[in-house]
Amino acid sequence: MHDDGFACSMIVFTRWTDQTQFYCSSIPEKSAAKDGVWKLREALKQQLALIHERVEAKKIAKLALAEVRQLLAKEEEEKVWEQRREEMAARARERVAVRMREEEEKIEREEMEKLRREKAKCPEDKGEEEEGEEEKSKKGGDKEEKSEKKGEEEEEEEEGKKEQEEDKQRTRVRQRKGEKRQNGEN
């Protein structure tokens, strides 16, 4: 320290001359110590601010991560519910399809039963016609043979017509089934 109370610091040490040069500042020694403390405080404050920023960033990251996890859990739950809904809808469609098939089969059986009844009635009618023909054959001659041939032809035609009607009814039933299926699916 110099006589004037100012702090001196050694700045340059010269090699060539074994002399040390001193630099005297106009700041007193007390203020230089305060300056060092002030710089240290500022550095500590900056580090503390950085630490606080990092802590806040970590908190924010944790919150964001928790929100993301929540959203993912919600989406997963929605997927599960959607899958359950789809399964239930598929089961319902399957049940409806089974019911429709059962109804179609029932209708088809009923129609086939009606056709069988009609066929069963037709031979009775034929039996009555044959009895009538026998009576006529006893009465008449060649005319009866011609009428028998015509009767047989007519019977064959009637049978052909009945078969055609049955085929038409079957196709109608099939068409109804197809329409019901389409309506059920839509």
Side-chain angles (χ1 to χ4, degrees):
M1 200 162 153
H2 281 19
D3 301 324
D4 54 0
F6 290 104
C8 296
S9 57
M10 184 169 48
I11 292 185
V12 179
F13 181 80
T14 57
R15 285 188 205 176
W16 300 294
T17 64
D18 294 317
Q19 295 178 353
T20 307
Q21 296 178 356
F22 290 97
Y23 173 75
C24 291
S25 66
S26 60
I27 302 171
E29 272 187 44
K30 293 179 183 178
S31 108
K34 286 184 179 180
D35 189 37
V37 170
W38 183 81
K39 286 182 181 178
L40 183 61
R41 275 188 183 170
E42 285 299 315
L44 289 173
K45 283 182 182 179
Q46 287 176 353
Q47 285 186 350
L48 187 61
L50 288 173
I51 290 170
H52 283 295
E53 286 177 11
R54 287 180 186 164
V55 168
E56 287 296 317
K58 283 183 181 180
K59 285 182 184 178
I60 292 170
K62 284 181 182 179
L63 291 173
L65 184 61
E67 286 183 29
V68 168
R69 286 182 179 159
Q70 246 181 348
L71 288 173
L72 290 174
K74 266 187 181 179
E75 287 178 5
E76 188 66 30
E77 187 176 331
E78 287 175 7
K79 285 179 185 178
V80 168
W81 280 109
E82 185 65 29
Q83 196 174 29
R84 287 180 184 171
R85 281 186 217 119
E86 288 175 4
E87 289 173 0
M88 290 174 66
R91 286 185 207 144
R93 279 188 237 119
E94 190 175 314
R95 280 187 242 131
V96 169
V98 168
R99 287 181 193 160
M100 294 291 289
R101 279 188 228 125
E102 289 174 356
E103 288 179 26
E104 290 172 0
E105 290 173 0
K106 183 179 177 182
I107 292 169
E108 191 173 330
R109 279 188 242 128
E110 289 174 358
E111 289 181 2
M112 294 301 289
E113 187 64 32
K114 285 180 185 178
L115 292 174
R116 287 181 196 148
R117 288 179 190 161
E118 289 177 8
K119 284 183 180 180
K121 288 181 182 178
C122 290
E124 292 173 3
D125 293 338
K126 289 180 184 177
E128 292 174 6
E129 289 177 8
E130 289 176 6
E131 291 175 8
E133 288 177 12
E134 289 177 12
E135 291 176 9
K136 289 180 184 178
S137 64
K138 291 177 185 176
K139 292 180 181 177
D142 291 330
K143 291 182 182 178
E144 293 174 13
E145 290 176 16
K146 290 180 183 178
S147 64
E148 285 178 19
K149 289 181 182 176
K150 287 182 182 178
E152 289 176 6
E153 290 175 3
E154 288 175 4
E155 287 177 17
E156 289 176 5
E157 287 178 20
E158 287 178 21
E159 288 177 16
K161 289 180 182 178
K162 288 180 183 178
E163 288 177 8
Q164 288 177 351
E165 288 177 26
E166 290 174 5
D167 289 339
K168 287 180 184 178
Q169 287 178 349
R170 288 181 191 143
T171 55
R172 287 182 199 144
V173 169
R174 289 181 191 140
Q175 288 174 348
R176 287 183 205 148
K177 288 180 184 178
E179 290 172 3
K180 289 180 182 177
R181 286 183 186 156
Q182 288 177 350
N183 292 337
E185 290 174 2
N186 293 335

